[in-house]
Amino acid sequence: MSDIKVSGFKASELISGLHNAFTTYTPQEKQALIKKTNGIFELQVANEAKEVATWTIDLKKEGTVYKGNAKPKADVTIILSDDTLTDLASGKLNGQKAFMTGKLKTKGNIMLATKLDGVLKGAKAKL
């Protein structure tokens, strides 16, 4: 699905991969992930040119990834740079350290934000 990508963002490939991984989940796997996570993540990612792209990971109702603001409202909004998101996904950086050093900011349910790491790792295993 090419309309999920935003040019100028390294994280765009990551989000596209996450979307593709979600499409390979069986209905049972998707339901298990929704039950385990039970939340909607809105990622606001800024690139070096200070442009912001927004993606939503819905693991509350649909089990989907899409470009744009969360509908319904996100349980947690995660604000971070393009580099920080790619480092989190690759395992070079952990979410707690990113938060403590100010590389990652959250609005909403901070405890839900801690589950993003598991979502990224699970999807990576599917690719």
Side-chain angles (χ1 to χ4, degrees), residues 1 11 15 18 21 31 34-35 48 54-57 63-64 75 77 79 94 98-101 115-116 118 126:
M1 184 176 208
I15 299 295
L18 193 61
Q31 281 306 314
I34 288 170
K35 186 175 182 183
E48 289 176 5
T54 303
W55 289 281
T56 299
I57 303 170
T64 58
D75 295 302
T77 300
I79 304 152
N94 84 23
F99 180 77
M100 295 299 193
T101 57
K115 294 182 179 182
L116 181 61
K126 273 297 231 185

Side-chain angles (χ1 to χ4, degrees), residues 18-39 57-66 119 122-123 126:
L18 193 61
H19 171 77
N20 292 338
F22 275 41
T23 61
T24 65
Y25 286 141
T26 65
Q28 294 81 4
E29 287 174 319
K30 204 176 267 193
Q31 281 306 314
L33 190 58
I34 288 170
K35 186 175 182 183
K36 182 177 159 188
T37 310
N38 191 30
I57 303 170
D58 178 349
L59 285 171
K60 194 172 204 170
K61 296 190 180 336
E62 306 292 324
T64 58
V65 180
Y66 56 90
V119 172
K126 273 297 231 185

Side-chain angles (χ1 to χ4, degrees), residues 54-107:
T54 303
W55 289 281
T56 299
I57 303 170
D58 178 349
L59 285 171
K60 194 172 204 170
K61 296 190 180 336
E62 306 292 324
T64 58
V65 180
Y66 56 90
K67 184 170 71 175
N69 295 334
K71 292 175 186 68
K73 186 174 171 270
D75 295 302
V76 65
T77 300
I78 301 171
I79 304 152
L80 69 174
S81 74
D82 200 16
D83 289 333
T84 301
L85 182 55
T86 52
D87 287 350
L88 282 171
S90 69
K92 287 182 189 169
L93 182 66
N94 84 23
Q96 194 172 11
K97 188 172 181 182
F99 180 77
M100 295 299 193
T101 57
K103 291 182 176 184
L104 180 153
K105 294 179 175 65
T106 63
K107 290 180 188 170

